[in-house]
Amino acid sequence: MGFSGHVVVARSERPLPQAPVFDGVRDRLRDFVEECAPRPGGWRTLRIDHGVWEDGRLPALVAWTGAPACVAEVSDSDTALVTGLSADGRRWQAWLNLDSVAALLAEEPDDLDDMSLWAGTPESDEAVRRKRAELDAEVAGDAAGALAWAAGAGVETGAGQHRIEEILRSNETFVEDLFDALLDGLGFPQAASPSPRE
């Protein structure tokens, strides 16, 4: 079984669990939050189990750190929706593992009673193909947003638009690895040791 939860990346001189965004859940942090190896330059990463992080916390974290931050909402290590926020409020999003995302988000018939009768049919395959094409059409804009966010974060972008698009179109067994690859590609210095995984 894969990881489900959030991977939060932010620059801070203080450990991220000290951020006021965690005040309401501080008693649960020891059991549900894992600090990963930091990246040079003060970039810290937290793996937060499902049910602890809330989407509205990203702006508060950016305000507390005074620096851009991003969060990957991970589902069973299969898919992730990455949201980045700059200090001036600009936001970008990108899906990771697009093939899995397409299968998850493909439109199903309204009158579907039994999913097993739909999955694997030519109609289902076509719905997944259409959703994958829709997601693919968004990749260029997502990559541009990610690059602008990284530049605003003060990192020297390690890759150009083409490479970031390539990463966003890639698929990995563990989507967390793809998230790390995205951060590496955007120019964030690599952590001293690999991020822990269950």
Side-chain angles (χ1 to χ4, degrees), residues 153-176:
V155 299
E156 291 188 24
T157 303
Q161 173 88 14
H162 177 74
R163 176 62 183 139
I164 300 305
E165 289 183 26
E166 187 177 73
I167 292 169
L168 293 179
R169 289 186 172 104
S170 299
N171 290 282
E172 291 287 344
T173 302
F174 295 96
V175 75
E176 300 96 303

Side-chain angles (χ1 to χ4, degrees), residues 97-113:
N97 266 359
L98 295 187
D99 289 346
S100 297
V101 173
L104 183 69
L105 299 181
E107 189 174 340
E108 301 167 356
D110 293 335
D111 59 352
L112 184 64
D113 291 327

Side-chain angles (χ1 to χ4, degrees), residues 24-105:
V25 293
R26 200 163 304 282
D27 57 333
R28 300 165 58 195
L29 294 186
R30 183 177 291 114
D31 296 326
F32 299 103
V33 174
E34 180 178 12
E35 292 188 73
C36 301
R39 290 173 177 258
W43 291 98
R44 300 174 183 266
T45 302
L46 295 180
R47 281 171 50 109
I48 305 171
D49 286 352
H50 180 73
V52 177
W53 179 265
E54 296 174 5
D55 291 338
R57 291 189 169 142
L58 187 58
L61 182 63
V62 168
W64 182 71
T65 63
C70 71
V71 58
E73 182 178 354
V74 178
S75 178
D76 200 23
S77 291
D78 289 332
T79 64
L81 176 61
V82 181
T83 303
L85 186 65
S86 63
D88 64 4
R90 284 181 296 158
R91 182 182 189 94
W92 66 275
Q93 285 190 311
W95 284 103
L96 298 180
N97 266 359
L98 295 187
D99 289 346
S100 297
V101 173
L104 183 69
L105 299 181

Side-chain angles (χ1 to χ4, degrees), residues 95 97-108 123-139:
W95 284 103
N97 266 359
L98 295 187
D99 289 346
S100 297
V101 173
L104 183 69
L105 299 181
E107 189 174 340
E108 301 167 356
E123 294 82 4
S124 171
D125 293 345
E126 177 60 20
V128 171
R129 188 201 62 72
R130 280 195 310 269
K131 178 52 72 174
R132 180 65 173 82
E134 288 175 21
L135 293 168
D136 192 75
E138 297 172 0
V139 165

